[in-house]
Amino acid sequence: MSELIAAVATPPGTGGVGILRLSGPGAARAAAQVFRPKGKRPLTEAPDRQLLYGTLLDREGRAIDTGLAFVSRAPHSYTGEETAELQCHGSPMVLSLVLEALWAAGARQARAGEFTQRAFLNGKLDLTQAEAVIDLIDAETPAAARQAAGQLEGVLSRRIEEIYSGLTDVMAHFCAVLDYPDEDIDPFQAQQLQEALDRQGEALQALLRTSRRGRLLTQGITCVLIGRPNAGKSSLLNALAGYERAIVTHIPGTTRDTVEGKITLAGHPFRLVDTAGLRDSDDPIEQLGVERSRAAMAQADLILMVCDGTQPWTDEDTDLLNQAVDQADTILVANKSDLPGHGTPMFVSDGTGHSLTVVGLSAKTGLGMELLEEALTAQAEALFPRTQEGAYGQLLTNQRQTDAVRRAAESVARASQALAAGITPDALLTDVEAAMAALGELTGKTLREDITSRIFERFCVGK
Ligand code: GDP
């Protein structure tokens, strides 16, 4: 039997409106204890989701605000349980007095994400939909919000369900064959099974291909700044972040600090990473921080190499730039264009595989910053093709989802190869089962306590 929980659902601080929610047995009765309607009908007898106007009371029954309240009975509520919501003015004092009154009425403080966790446990949402709730709350761009909304609506769940159901059919076929172990599998049937299995394998691969775009959308395009000390990396990061008023935070790394800033340009999210601490050596090679840059570059979707345009271009610079172009699309920023003697390096990169754009600017005066913004936007547009805009909601947006789909795809591929090699069906069953278990983990059909509790810990209290 679940307990009655309550929490303030609106953010801390003052605001126009403050909302408290309750979920669990006795939610309506507890809410009625702190809310006196103006009309005759008590809150406990109000129809589901019908707003009543009335007075909010503290634990001694004294009026402390006027507001609205409604109840929603199981199973027609967010959590699937009996719930109630109280809306008052967004005063931290009023909210805390009402909350205290709710404790007196038998509720306890809800843990972070407990409402959504209950919604999941009661089958109102699957696990990918529950994750979409956090993604939606955290969304920083319109595209990220649309993606999360689609996932919350069940677009990804349905896609996974189709694959799961396809694999269930394959299992059923295998089991039918296993009932007659002495008979060889009929070639026609084997062919059909192979096709059915491969169809699901392809669907899983298609899903896997969405993970990069999903990651870029939710975490931002990781843009790593490299270059010599004093080239102006921090200044450039601040200029970019300041332009968008993003918060630049110091994130302790394992060996050195990296500085990160999140910005949005033309609706595209960027995560700017400055490899700080590259300034403690006299050795010109080490000054370039080649080793340390390499680690940072490995996680880059885009590299910004910053150089001081007033300094001579060296062979070491060429090496670093070539390495960058080998790793990812690169923008070379010739900084300090406000100073005399500034020039833009002229050379042909022999790095392979990725594009190189050169931009001259001054991080200090802002001269030419718009050229960099254009270059960044062009890169983002290449990474988020417009033709895929309709696909919101069906992207894999985090590592947990991607890992589960990858395991499912690998199991299906193994089963398919084994079938093609004429291995007996019982040997394949294990692989198909493993694929289904991985998909079950993804949607939460097969419960894994460790995974689910980690997901709900990421929520805020009241959600
Ligand atoms: P980092 O070591 O690459 O992060 O470089 P910083 O951003 O710390 O900059 C090194 C020095 O160059 C600082 O004194 C900055 O004020 C200066 N600086 C950075 N960008 C410019 C610029 O565009 N013009 C001028 N004149 N100075 C700059």
mmCIF file of all heavy atoms in Angstrom, residues 225-238 274-276 278-279 306 308 310 334-339 361-367, ligand 1:
data_model
loop_
_atom_site.group_PDB
_atom_site.id
_atom_site.type_symbol
_atom_site.label_atom_id
_atom_site.label_comp_id
_atom_site.label_asym_id
_atom_site.label_seq_id
_atom_site.Cartn_x
_atom_site.Cartn_y
_atom_site.Cartn_z
ATOM 1 N N LEU A 225 37.453 23.870 -27.445
ATOM 2 C CA LEU A 225 38.394 24.931 -27.808
ATOM 3 C C LEU A 225 39.814 24.461 -27.528
ATOM 4 O O LEU A 225 40.123 24.033 -26.414
ATOM 5 C CB LEU A 225 38.107 26.195 -26.983
ATOM 6 C CG LEU A 225 36.888 27.004 -27.407
ATOM 7 C CD1 LEU A 225 35.647 26.501 -26.716
ATOM 8 C CD2 LEU A 225 37.092 28.471 -27.103
ATOM 9 N N ILE A 226 40.658 24.545 -28.535
ATOM 10 C CA ILE A 226 42.061 24.176 -28.349
ATOM 11 C C ILE A 226 42.950 25.318 -28.856
ATOM 12 O O ILE A 226 42.479 26.216 -29.545
ATOM 13 C CB ILE A 226 42.422 22.861 -29.098
ATOM 14 C CG1 ILE A 226 42.124 23.009 -30.602
ATOM 15 C CG2 ILE A 226 41.672 21.671 -28.516
ATOM 16 C CD1 ILE A 226 42.775 21.920 -31.442
ATOM 17 N N GLY A 227 44.225 25.228 -28.526
ATOM 18 C CA GLY A 227 45.172 26.247 -28.991
ATOM 19 C C GLY A 227 46.146 26.609 -27.891
ATOM 20 O O GLY A 227 45.990 26.190 -26.739
ATOM 21 N N ARG A 228 47.155 27.378 -28.258
ATOM 22 C CA ARG A 228 48.197 27.768 -27.308
ATOM 23 C C ARG A 228 47.646 28.596 -26.153
ATOM 24 O O ARG A 228 46.637 29.289 -26.326
ATOM 25 C CB ARG A 228 49.205 28.680 -28.011
ATOM 26 C CG ARG A 228 50.136 28.013 -28.930
ATOM 27 C CD ARG A 228 51.009 29.087 -29.580
ATOM 28 N NE ARG A 228 51.790 28.477 -30.641
ATOM 29 C CZ ARG A 228 52.911 27.796 -30.433
ATOM 30 N NH1 ARG A 228 53.374 27.644 -29.219
ATOM 31 N NH2 ARG A 228 53.559 27.261 -31.450
ATOM 32 N N PRO A 229 48.358 28.598 -25.029
ATOM 33 C CA PRO A 229 47.995 29.526 -23.955
ATOM 34 C C PRO A 229 48.031 30.950 -24.504
ATOM 35 O O PRO A 229 48.867 31.254 -25.361
ATOM 36 C CB PRO A 229 49.081 29.321 -22.909
ATOM 37 C CG PRO A 229 49.703 28.003 -23.213
ATOM 38 C CD PRO A 229 49.546 27.788 -24.679
ATOM 39 N N ASN A 230 47.151 31.779 -24.024
ATOM 40 C CA ASN A 230 47.089 33.194 -24.394
ATOM 41 C C ASN A 230 46.609 33.468 -25.817
ATOM 42 O O ASN A 230 46.656 34.603 -26.273
ATOM 43 C CB ASN A 230 48.432 33.896 -24.178
ATOM 44 C CG ASN A 230 48.749 33.979 -22.712
ATOM 45 O OD1 ASN A 230 47.847 34.225 -21.909
ATOM 46 N ND2 ASN A 230 49.994 33.733 -22.355
ATOM 47 N N ALA A 231 46.157 32.424 -26.517
ATOM 48 C CA ALA A 231 45.604 32.668 -27.855
ATOM 49 C C ALA A 231 44.270 33.382 -27.726
ATOM 50 O O ALA A 231 43.845 34.108 -28.629
ATOM 51 C CB ALA A 231 45.431 31.345 -28.599
ATOM 52 N N GLY A 232 43.606 33.159 -26.583
ATOM 53 C CA GLY A 232 42.320 33.823 -26.367
ATOM 54 C C GLY A 232 41.141 32.865 -26.268
ATOM 55 O O GLY A 232 40.007 33.252 -26.542
ATOM 56 N N LYS A 233 41.408 31.627 -25.848
ATOM 57 C CA LYS A 233 40.321 30.636 -25.753
ATOM 58 C C LYS A 233 39.271 31.059 -24.720
ATOM 59 O O LYS A 233 38.081 31.057 -25.019
ATOM 60 C CB LYS A 233 40.882 29.249 -25.386
ATOM 61 C CG LYS A 233 41.790 28.662 -26.453
ATOM 62 C CD LYS A 233 42.328 27.308 -26.058
ATOM 63 C CE LYS A 233 43.247 27.352 -24.841
ATOM 64 N NZ LYS A 233 44.452 28.195 -25.039
ATOM 65 N N SER A 234 39.763 31.405 -23.519
ATOM 66 C CA SER A 234 38.799 31.797 -22.472
ATOM 67 C C SER A 234 38.052 33.049 -22.883
ATOM 68 O O SER A 234 36.841 33.153 -22.675
ATOM 69 C CB SER A 234 39.491 32.083 -21.146
ATOM 70 O OG SER A 234 40.527 31.189 -20.943
ATOM 71 N N SER A 235 38.781 33.983 -23.481
ATOM 72 C CA SER A 235 38.114 35.223 -23.906
ATOM 73 C C SER A 235 37.042 34.918 -24.937
ATOM 74 O O SER A 235 35.950 35.494 -24.904
ATOM 75 C CB SER A 235 39.121 36.197 -24.509
ATOM 76 O OG SER A 235 40.182 36.401 -23.617
ATOM 77 N N LEU A 236 37.347 33.987 -25.833
ATOM 78 C CA LEU A 236 36.384 33.652 -26.882
ATOM 79 C C LEU A 236 35.165 32.961 -26.278
ATOM 80 O O LEU A 236 34.015 33.263 -26.633
ATOM 81 C CB LEU A 236 37.038 32.746 -27.930
ATOM 82 C CG LEU A 236 36.195 32.503 -29.163
ATOM 83 C CD1 LEU A 236 36.014 33.780 -29.965
ATOM 84 C CD2 LEU A 236 36.818 31.426 -30.048
ATOM 85 N N LEU A 237 35.431 32.039 -25.343
ATOM 86 C CA LEU A 237 34.318 31.342 -24.701
ATOM 87 C C LEU A 237 33.419 32.340 -23.975
ATOM 88 O O LEU A 237 32.199 32.301 -24.085
ATOM 89 C CB LEU A 237 34.848 30.286 -23.718
ATOM 90 C CG LEU A 237 33.762 29.413 -23.097
ATOM 91 C CD1 LEU A 237 34.113 27.941 -23.250
ATOM 92 C CD2 LEU A 237 33.534 29.721 -21.647
ATOM 93 N N ASN A 238 34.044 33.270 -23.292
ATOM 94 C CA ASN A 238 33.251 34.275 -22.581
ATOM 95 C C ASN A 238 32.497 35.182 -23.542
ATOM 96 O O ASN A 238 31.363 35.555 -23.271
ATOM 97 C CB ASN A 238 34.142 35.101 -21.658
ATOM 98 C CG ASN A 238 34.493 34.316 -20.410
ATOM 99 O OD1 ASN A 238 33.646 33.636 -19.849
ATOM 100 N ND2 ASN A 238 35.741 34.379 -19.992
ATOM 101 N N ASP A 274 36.333 24.482 -22.757
ATOM 102 C CA ASP A 274 37.670 25.061 -22.851
ATOM 103 C C ASP A 274 38.610 24.198 -22.029
ATOM 104 O O ASP A 274 38.372 23.945 -20.859
ATOM 105 C CB ASP A 274 37.636 26.501 -22.301
ATOM 106 C CG ASP A 274 39.010 27.170 -22.384
ATOM 107 O OD1 ASP A 274 39.920 26.596 -23.026
ATOM 108 O OD2 ASP A 274 39.164 28.260 -21.815
ATOM 109 N N THR A 275 39.659 23.738 -22.673
ATOM 110 C CA THR A 275 40.644 22.933 -21.965
ATOM 111 C C THR A 275 41.581 23.881 -21.222
ATOM 112 O O THR A 275 42.578 24.331 -21.774
ATOM 113 C CB THR A 275 41.444 22.082 -22.966
ATOM 114 O OG1 THR A 275 41.835 22.933 -24.040
ATOM 115 C CG2 THR A 275 40.618 20.938 -23.485
ATOM 116 N N ALA A 276 41.217 24.185 -20.005
ATOM 117 C CA ALA A 276 42.033 25.103 -19.202
ATOM 118 C C ALA A 276 43.290 24.377 -18.732
ATOM 119 O O ALA A 276 43.438 23.184 -18.906
ATOM 120 C CB ALA A 276 41.234 25.597 -18.013
ATOM 121 N N LEU A 278 46.367 24.664 -19.767
ATOM 122 C CA LEU A 278 47.372 24.318 -20.775
ATOM 123 C C LEU A 278 48.508 25.331 -20.763
ATOM 124 O O LEU A 278 49.166 25.551 -21.761
ATOM 125 C CB LEU A 278 46.746 24.317 -22.179
ATOM 126 C CG LEU A 278 45.572 23.381 -22.424
ATOM 127 C CD1 LEU A 278 45.183 23.409 -23.889
ATOM 128 C CD2 LEU A 278 45.896 21.974 -21.997
ATOM 129 N N ARG A 279 48.727 25.964 -19.611
ATOM 130 C CA ARG A 279 49.622 27.107 -19.648
ATOM 131 C C ARG A 279 50.809 26.977 -18.707
ATOM 132 O O ARG A 279 51.354 27.957 -18.271
ATOM 133 C CB ARG A 279 48.841 28.380 -19.354
ATOM 134 C CG ARG A 279 47.948 28.263 -18.137
ATOM 135 C CD ARG A 279 47.000 29.413 -18.053
ATOM 136 N NE ARG A 279 45.756 29.143 -18.759
ATOM 137 C CZ ARG A 279 44.982 30.084 -19.266
ATOM 138 N NH1 ARG A 279 45.322 31.327 -19.173
ATOM 139 N NH2 ARG A 279 43.869 29.771 -19.861
ATOM 140 N N VAL A 306 41.893 28.024 -31.625
ATOM 141 C CA VAL A 306 42.097 29.465 -31.505
ATOM 142 C C VAL A 306 43.593 29.762 -31.608
ATOM 143 O O VAL A 306 44.404 29.109 -30.941
ATOM 144 C CB VAL A 306 41.553 29.976 -30.146
ATOM 145 C CG1 VAL A 306 41.635 31.494 -30.074
ATOM 146 C CG2 VAL A 306 40.114 29.528 -29.933
ATOM 147 N N ASP A 308 46.561 33.138 -31.989
ATOM 148 C CA ASP A 308 46.786 34.577 -31.903
ATOM 149 C C ASP A 308 47.263 35.030 -33.280
ATOM 150 O O ASP A 308 48.380 34.698 -33.702
ATOM 151 C CB ASP A 308 47.853 34.824 -30.817
ATOM 152 C CG ASP A 308 48.145 36.308 -30.622
ATOM 153 O OD1 ASP A 308 47.864 37.095 -31.541
ATOM 154 O OD2 ASP A 308 48.662 36.659 -29.545
ATOM 155 N N THR A 310 48.378 37.610 -34.368
ATOM 156 C CA THR A 310 49.534 38.510 -34.453
ATOM 157 C C THR A 310 50.843 37.738 -34.307
ATOM 158 O O THR A 310 51.921 38.303 -34.446
ATOM 159 C CB THR A 310 49.482 39.605 -33.356
ATOM 160 O OG1 THR A 310 49.651 38.975 -32.082
ATOM 161 C CG2 THR A 310 48.174 40.365 -33.384
ATOM 162 N N ALA A 334 41.394 32.968 -36.064
ATOM 163 C CA ALA A 334 42.584 33.816 -35.949
ATOM 164 C C ALA A 334 42.164 35.024 -35.122
ATOM 165 O O ALA A 334 41.531 35.954 -35.618
ATOM 166 C CB ALA A 334 43.066 34.218 -37.334
ATOM 167 N N ASN A 335 42.496 34.958 -33.820
ATOM 168 C CA ASN A 335 41.991 35.948 -32.854
ATOM 169 C C ASN A 335 42.862 37.219 -32.841
ATOM 170 O O ASN A 335 43.938 37.249 -33.417
ATOM 171 C CB ASN A 335 41.964 35.281 -31.474
ATOM 172 C CG ASN A 335 41.242 36.106 -30.440
ATOM 173 O OD1 ASN A 335 40.330 36.862 -30.760
ATOM 174 N ND2 ASN A 335 41.653 35.967 -29.177
ATOM 175 N N LYS A 336 42.393 38.201 -32.148
ATOM 176 C CA LYS A 336 43.074 39.477 -31.901
ATOM 177 C C LYS A 336 43.209 40.332 -33.164
ATOM 178 O O LYS A 336 44.225 40.975 -33.397
ATOM 179 C CB LYS A 336 44.459 39.244 -31.242
ATOM 180 C CG LYS A 336 44.398 38.275 -30.037
ATOM 181 C CD LYS A 336 45.597 38.339 -29.126
ATOM 182 C CE LYS A 336 45.480 37.290 -28.036
ATOM 183 N NZ LYS A 336 46.571 37.268 -27.081
ATOM 184 N N SER A 337 42.158 40.334 -33.965
ATOM 185 C CA SER A 337 42.186 41.107 -35.202
ATOM 186 C C SER A 337 42.168 42.610 -34.923
ATOM 187 O O SER A 337 42.330 43.409 -35.837
ATOM 188 C CB SER A 337 40.996 40.730 -36.094
ATOM 189 O OG SER A 337 39.796 41.123 -35.476
ATOM 190 N N ASP A 338 41.972 42.989 -33.645
ATOM 191 C CA ASP A 338 42.007 44.414 -33.308
ATOM 192 C C ASP A 338 43.437 44.930 -33.203
ATOM 193 O O ASP A 338 43.666 46.132 -33.164
ATOM 194 C CB ASP A 338 41.276 44.642 -31.974
ATOM 195 C CG ASP A 338 41.859 43.797 -30.857
ATOM 196 O OD1 ASP A 338 41.899 42.550 -30.980
ATOM 197 O OD2 ASP A 338 42.298 44.355 -29.858
ATOM 198 N N LEU A 339 44.412 44.017 -33.160
ATOM 199 C CA LEU A 339 45.807 44.438 -32.989
ATOM 200 C C LEU A 339 46.520 44.587 -34.335
ATOM 201 O O LEU A 339 46.182 43.882 -35.291
ATOM 202 C CB LEU A 339 46.563 43.413 -32.126
ATOM 203 C CG LEU A 339 46.106 43.282 -30.666
ATOM 204 C CD1 LEU A 339 46.916 42.198 -29.968
ATOM 205 C CD2 LEU A 339 46.225 44.616 -29.933
ATOM 206 N N LEU A 361 38.853 37.269 -36.170
ATOM 207 C CA LEU A 361 37.995 38.079 -35.298
ATOM 208 C C LEU A 361 38.769 38.596 -34.092
ATOM 209 O O LEU A 361 39.932 38.254 -33.892
ATOM 210 C CB LEU A 361 36.777 37.269 -34.823
ATOM 211 C CG LEU A 361 36.999 35.938 -34.101
ATOM 212 C CD1 LEU A 361 37.481 36.129 -32.668
ATOM 213 C CD2 LEU A 361 35.713 35.144 -34.084
ATOM 214 N N SER A 362 38.078 39.398 -33.302
ATOM 215 C CA SER A 362 38.643 39.843 -32.025
ATOM 216 C C SER A 362 37.664 39.484 -30.909
ATOM 217 O O SER A 362 36.553 40.017 -30.868
ATOM 218 C CB SER A 362 38.872 41.352 -32.045
ATOM 219 O OG SER A 362 39.096 41.792 -30.712
ATOM 220 N N ALA A 363 38.119 38.590 -30.039
ATOM 221 C CA ALA A 363 37.264 38.193 -28.910
ATOM 222 C C ALA A 363 37.115 39.373 -27.959
ATOM 223 O O ALA A 363 36.139 39.470 -27.235
ATOM 224 C CB ALA A 363 37.871 37.004 -28.178
ATOM 225 N N LYS A 364 38.113 40.264 -27.993
ATOM 226 C CA LYS A 364 38.114 41.387 -27.059
ATOM 227 C C LYS A 364 37.108 42.466 -27.461
ATOM 228 O O LYS A 364 36.322 42.914 -26.633
ATOM 229 C CB LYS A 364 39.515 41.992 -27.004
ATOM 230 C CG LYS A 364 39.717 42.939 -25.851
ATOM 231 C CD LYS A 364 41.176 43.279 -25.736
ATOM 232 C CE LYS A 364 41.445 44.156 -24.535
ATOM 233 N NZ LYS A 364 42.902 44.370 -24.393
ATOM 234 N N THR A 365 37.129 42.858 -28.745
ATOM 235 C CA THR A 365 36.234 43.944 -29.159
ATOM 236 C C THR A 365 34.921 43.433 -29.753
ATOM 237 O O THR A 365 33.976 44.185 -29.922
ATOM 238 C CB THR A 365 36.900 44.826 -30.230
ATOM 239 O OG1 THR A 365 37.094 44.020 -31.410
ATOM 240 C CG2 THR A 365 38.245 45.369 -29.771
ATOM 241 N N GLY A 366 34.887 42.154 -30.098
ATOM 242 C CA GLY A 366 33.663 41.597 -30.684
ATOM 243 C C GLY A 366 33.643 41.701 -32.207
ATOM 244 O O GLY A 366 32.732 41.200 -32.860
ATOM 245 N N LEU A 367 34.696 42.351 -32.754
ATOM 246 C CA LEU A 367 34.786 42.499 -34.210
ATOM 247 C C LEU A 367 34.868 41.116 -34.881
ATOM 248 O O LEU A 367 35.723 40.312 -34.526
ATOM 249 C CB LEU A 367 36.070 43.286 -34.524
ATOM 250 C CG LEU A 367 36.279 43.741 -35.961
ATOM 251 C CD1 LEU A 367 35.417 44.968 -36.236
ATOM 252 C CD2 LEU A 367 37.761 44.077 -36.198
HETATM 253 P P1 GDP B 1 43.740 31.480 -23.328
HETATM 254 O O1 GDP B 1 44.963 31.203 -22.539
HETATM 255 O O2 GDP B 1 43.831 30.913 -24.708
HETATM 256 O O3 GDP B 1 42.476 31.082 -22.648
HETATM 257 O O4 GDP B 1 43.709 33.061 -23.548
HETATM 258 P P2 GDP B 1 42.940 34.200 -22.756
HETATM 259 O O5 GDP B 1 41.532 34.254 -23.174
HETATM 260 O O6 GDP B 1 43.226 34.065 -21.311
HETATM 261 O O7 GDP B 1 43.645 35.484 -23.338
HETATM 262 C C1 GDP B 1 45.043 35.734 -23.201
HETATM 263 C C2 GDP B 1 45.309 37.230 -23.259
HETATM 264 O O8 GDP B 1 44.963 37.732 -24.563
HETATM 265 C C3 GDP B 1 44.498 38.025 -22.283
HETATM 266 O O9 GDP B 1 45.280 39.043 -21.777
HETATM 267 C C4 GDP B 1 43.356 38.583 -23.114
HETATM 268 O O10 GDP B 1 42.843 39.789 -22.619
HETATM 269 C C5 GDP B 1 44.039 38.790 -24.450
HETATM 270 N N1 GDP B 1 43.092 38.698 -25.572
HETATM 271 C C6 GDP B 1 42.215 37.717 -25.826
HETATM 272 N N2 GDP B 1 41.526 37.978 -26.957
HETATM 273 C C7 GDP B 1 41.996 39.148 -27.420
HETATM 274 C C8 GDP B 1 41.669 39.974 -28.560
HETATM 275 O O11 GDP B 1 40.842 39.646 -29.390
HETATM 276 N N3 GDP B 1 42.369 41.132 -28.713
HETATM 277 C C9 GDP B 1 43.312 41.518 -27.819
HETATM 278 N N4 GDP B 1 43.936 42.677 -28.046
HETATM 279 N N5 GDP B 1 43.644 40.784 -26.740
HETATM 280 C C10 GDP B 1 42.983 39.624 -26.538
#
